[in-house]
Amino acid sequence: CRFTAVLILQLSAIFPLRATNPAVSSVPDSIAVNLQEVEVTSTRGKYAVNDILDATTLDVDALGKIMRVGGEADPLRYVRLMPGIGVGSDYSAGLSVDGTDPSQSLVSVDGAPLFFPYHFGGLFSILNESHFPKVTLRKSIHPVSMSSRLGGCISVDSRDYPIRKPRGEVNVGMMASSLSASVPLSNNISVTLSGRIAYLNLLYGWLLKGHSTDISYSFGDGCLSFNWLPSERDRVKVTLLANSDRLVMSERDMLNDIGMRWRNAVASASWIRTGRKLTASTTAFFSYFHNRLGITLPGQKLHAPSGIWQAGVKTDLNIHLGSGGGSLTSSYPDDPVTDDSSCSTGSSHWLQVGGELNLASFAPQSAVASGMVSADSPNVWTRCFEARLFAGWNRRLPACFML
């Protein structure tokens, strides 16, 4: 009872009891507010990561609102966070998928292979997040249409459909700034242009200069996409991507310079036709990568270039055998469709057939010296040709079936 009495006294001190006098209780409370029924609603946001059968799709725009590195929302850096993906360190390039070597995995941009998609030794990639809003990761399970690789496949895609309203984005980071703009030219045509430039030497040049050593580093990249809808069932997309990086280290005491420059150039054109029972896609592409290492000494110069290029065309047919058809559902407001993979169709089972032709040439690194000592080992370009046919049958399991 004592405990109960104390509790009542404390509550009375905090919350005074209402007066029982009718004359007092009839006076309206000056702070009382009568509210009608209030309904609180919210729009569900897009999922940042979606798992569909053999693929994991990442929404780069949604992930960019959660984490950025140096002010950059890097699509490939988000892939590093997925299970089964490993890297040597935070500043190293190359993604190891399920323990495979980075060279055994494929990184593609709108269907074209990208051989070295990194700036700054792997700190972030050459891909602009506002230009490429979707990344699809396939690890150990490969579709039959995927190019020959032992590792995984990382597909980076721009928007599949023309936008309906102009949009733009400016991003200012600690090391670089980027700009992206999309403009509709008509109801069926739009163009997207993005670019990025670094200002490391301007802001941090004093940190890169030592007592006898000067270091300068610059990079930039740009991308252009063209989307066209010639009809309700056809769509055409053309993408151009390029980057350039240059690193120079000068030793004033020893009078020598060490420089490295690498660049990519990628072009792809795709045509997709969607029918009720058939979806056909054809992609033609060209990809080029060049790396050049140079050393300059008093009276002596040494250059060690290397490079690789690949051109090809690929055709993929999806024949829908079960219920449903070729219509797909978009995950972006402005895009009726954003995923062309056969696993996204509404069919219960479908047949996938196609073919691919590739012509590639590569030149391993070789040294060329000039000056007091001359040695010429020119690049020897080796060409190779690949042709393949593929076919596969897919069956969608019932929703109640689980492994």
Side-chain angles (χ1 to χ4, degrees), residues 21 70 162 364:
N21 189 342

Side-chain angles (χ1 to χ4, degrees), residues 18 20 61 111 135 149 151 161 197 243 248 253 289 296 339:
R18 182 179 295 273
T20 58
D61 181 62
V135 178
R149 293 293 192 279
Y161 275 70
I197 189 170
N243 82 286
V248 177
D253 293 345
F289 172 74
T296 302
D339 193 348

